[in-house]
Amino acid sequence: MTRRNALLRTHGLVKEFRGFRAVSGVDLSVAEGTVHALVGPNGAGKTTLFNLLTGFLAPTSGRMELDGRDVTGFPPERIARLGVARSFQVTSLFPQMTAREHLELALQAGTGGGRRLWVSDKRMRAFTGRALELLDEVGLGRLAERAAGSLPYGQKRSLELALSLALDPRLLLLDEPTAGMGLEDVERTVALIGRIREGRTVVMVEHNMSVVGSLADTVTVLQRGEVLAEGPYAQVKADPQVIEAYLGAEVA
Ligand code: ADP
Ligand code: MG
């Protein structure tokens, strides 16, 4: 992997919580246009690393570069403005607001005005067309007028994905996009991520190894805050150290 096509790089990234190293010297290189999966046993540091990459946590030490630019310690809004979006959590949805209204609000916020709840109907209508397109893209076209709170779980997750796409990110970060889903929703989400990755770079934390196998170009395995292995799925899956790390854990 050449330096030039790395969209995101970390150098010796460390995050300590009261002396405990949750992320311990991680060098990560995410190539532009790829789907890059972060996997590892519980407690390996995946979520902490994810929060470092999105600026939700500042590293204790180490550096982070986005497209060659040093972004170490940038707050989440600043990272977001550089084209990085993370999936929203279900809990951030407003139960009474329709799917379309959520998208309109996200699109309006993306224009730089901040997330203002009280924007005139007329101004919001400027975003309706794009909102409906994004809902179509994630398979929610027919549910545009449904209150978010009434959507089944899998479709709430699709709505979160549409919300992150509203920012038209170059880099999309997904934390366990299929967590808690039944088989049917998992398959739908894999197909969906397969579509939305076009023209983008995706980093995802994912437990489901068949999801990783079908989507990821590169897999980084974390263990106790360190990179244990990295490479294409087939190679990583066959790595004796990885098998060892997963002994007793589920691995497909
Ligand atoms: P994973 O997502 O891979 O399961 P996490 O990144 O959530 O792992 O956690 C890695 C380690 O860091 C765990 O041992 C966890 O208990 C610890 N940890 C995570 N967040 C905090 C925190 N805010 N304060 C203290 N310890 C934390
Ligand atoms: Mg986690």
Side-chain angles (χ1 to χ4, degrees):
M1 191 182 299
T2 66
R3 190 179 171 76
R4 208 150 64 119
N5 71 357
L7 179 57
L8 179 70
R9 282 173 79 93
T10 70
H11 305 271
L13 209 60
V14 170
K15 180 64 191 180
E16 292 183 354
F17 297 108
R18 285 185 233 99
F20 173 76
R21 287 196 160 205
V23 169
S24 183
V26 167
D27 298 317
L28 188 72
S29 181
V30 177
E32 182 145 34
T34 60
V35 174
H36 194 124
L38 300 174
V39 307
N42 266 332
K46 303 179 297 293
T47 297
T48 304
L49 179 59
F50 188 87
N51 285 329
L52 290 168
L53 299 179
T54 48
F56 279 76
L57 285 174
T60 307
S61 61
R63 288 191 303 112
M64 193 167 107
E65 271 172 38
L66 193 61
D67 210 8
R69 172 178 182 181
D70 194 316
V71 297
T72 313
F74 277 27
E77 318 79 70
R78 231 175 135 196
I79 301 242
R81 276 203 298 278
L82 294 172
V84 179
R86 66 185 287 162
S87 53
F88 284 66
Q89 295 303 308
V90 162
T91 48
S92 72
L93 299 175
F94 299 98
Q96 318 287 347
M97 253 170 69
T98 68
R100 171 183 53 79
E101 288 166 340
H102 274 88
L103 265 302
E104 288 170 349
L105 188 62
L107 289 162
Q108 187 272 326
T111 60
R115 231 179 221 244
R116 284 183 297 160
L117 273 172
W118 313 116
V119 176
S120 73
D121 283 356
K122 185 166 169 240
R123 279 207 54 197
M124 273 306 185
R125 274 198 297 276
F127 302 107
T128 303
R130 181 67 186 137
L132 295 176
E133 269 173 31
L134 285 164
L135 288 171
D136 262 340
E137 203 177 334
V138 302
L140 292 179
R142 285 181 308 137
L143 299 171
E145 302 307 325
R146 283 273 295 272
S150 75
L151 294 172
Y153 179 76
Q155 287 170 335
K156 281 188 181 132
R157 301 293 311 251
S158 299
L159 178 55
E160 294 168 35
L161 266 177
L163 287 171
S164 16
L165 293 180
L167 304 169
D168 197 19
R170 289 177 73 186
L171 176 60
L172 183 60
L173 292 131
L174 307 172
D175 194 3
E176 302 201 23
T178 68
M181 285 183 180
L183 186 58
E184 207 175 298
D185 277 339
V186 169
E187 284 172 356
R188 214 173 39 77
T189 303
V190 168
L192 172 55
I193 296 172
R195 287 200 305 277
I196 64 179
R197 67 166 294 176
E198 288 305 318
R200 297 191 173 94
T201 305
V202 176
V203 173
M204 65 177 186
V205 173
E206 179 58 60
H207 274 300
N208 186 325
M209 287 301 153
S210 83
V211 171
V212 171
S214 36
L215 284 172
D217 300 295
T218 309
V219 181
T220 297
V221 185
L222 292 172
Q223 186 187 31
R224 291 188 213 100
E226 294 179 358
V227 175
L228 179 69
E230 187 172 272
Y233 176 70
Q235 179 192 315
V236 162
K237 195 177 70 162
D239 185 322
Q241 277 192 293
V242 174
I243 294 165
E244 170 85 27
Y246 272 98
L247 271 186
E250 184 193 359
V251 60

